[in-house]
Amino acid sequence: MKTIKNTFKLPILIVGSLAISSLCYAATSVTTSPDSVQTLSERDANLSSVQWSPNELSQIIKADDLHIAPFREDGKTYGTPTWIWCVEVDGNLYVRAYNGQRSSWYQAALREKAGKIVAAGMTKEVRFEPVQGDINTQIDNAYKQKYQGSAYLNHMITGGSRNATIKIVSLKTNSSS
């Protein structure tokens, strides 16, 4: 390859590297058989859920720093942690997607059904369960109580956000107590 000016060497190499990386990614994603990747439901089949301890749940709710990271499509790699509001109802942990069902973390949580959360200095393997029905009224009330005065509250208890509610279930892993 011949370059006209020295100043073009680096950009050409970077663009070339990106193009090669993209081609390699496309080739591996196309040639990887869905059957060769363990599905999340198979991965979690042997992991039982455990009730949140009152102490853990209290710490998570008070800290208000929950970051949710559903698995990526490979079922092994965690997605980018996203900070999100959380509430507790009857000893269970719930979250809602501000951007509703279009939210990328929400879509990943539904598709992959598991991942992790990081909150109050804890990292927990979790399962994600979609929520519908009457429990949403109790979740609305928990949001109203916890986030009263916030300009974002009304958005979180109506329409799209309300329709994108997830229950976070703690999983018993080898590192869980």
Side-chain angles (χ1 to χ4, degrees):
M1 178 166 97
K2 194 174 190 181
T3 57
I4 297 171
K5 291 183 179 179
N6 268 348
T7 56
F8 290 111
K9 284 184 181 175
L10 186 57
I12 291 171
L13 292 174
I14 291 173
V15 171
S17 297
L18 291 174
I20 290 169
S21 295
S22 297
L23 287 173
C24 290
Y25 175 77
T28 56
S29 62
V30 170
T31 58
T32 303
S33 163
D35 297 330
S36 67
V37 177
Q38 184 181 26
T39 66
L40 217 31
S41 58
E42 290 170 352
R43 176 197 174 271
D44 289 339
N46 296 322
L47 296 179
S48 59
S49 61
V50 292
Q51 188 67 30
W52 291 101
S53 78
N55 186 43
E56 286 176 334
L57 197 53
S58 175
Q59 287 178 22
I60 291 169
I61 296 302
K62 285 179 184 173
D64 200 27
D65 68 348
L66 189 140
H67 287 77
I68 191 167
F71 281 110
R72 296 187 189 276
E73 289 180 350
D74 65 6
K76 298 174 186 174
T77 309
Y78 295 107
T80 303
T82 302
W83 178 78
I84 189 151
W85 283 3
C86 63
V87 295
E88 178 266 329
V89 174
D90 294 332
N92 294 304
L93 185 60
Y94 297 94
V95 295
R96 287 183 171 163
Y98 184 84
N99 291 319
Q101 294 177 348
R102 295 184 324 254
S103 171
S104 59
W105 77 257
Y106 175 80
Q107 290 175 8
L110 286 183
R111 181 184 63 242
E112 301 304 323
K113 299 177 179 56
K116 71 177 179 179
I117 63 164
V118 178
M122 296 178 267
T123 300
K124 294 287 190 176
E125 293 282 328
V126 295
R127 183 175 291 135
F128 304 115
E129 299 176 358
V131 174
Q132 296 178 349
D134 294 339
I135 187 69
N136 269 305
T137 301
Q138 291 177 276
I139 296 168
D140 291 344
N141 291 335
Y143 270 95
K144 288 175 188 176
Q145 182 177 359
K146 183 174 180 186
Y147 297 104
Q148 66 184 356
S150 171
Y152 303 103
L153 175 60
N154 192 51
H155 187 86
M156 293 299 287
I157 59 173
T158 59
S161 292
R162 191 175 201 261
N163 294 330
T165 304
I166 295 285
K167 179 180 179 182
I168 299 177
V169 179
S170 182
L171 296 176
K172 183 172 179 75
T173 61
N174 291 338
S175 60
S176 294
S177 49

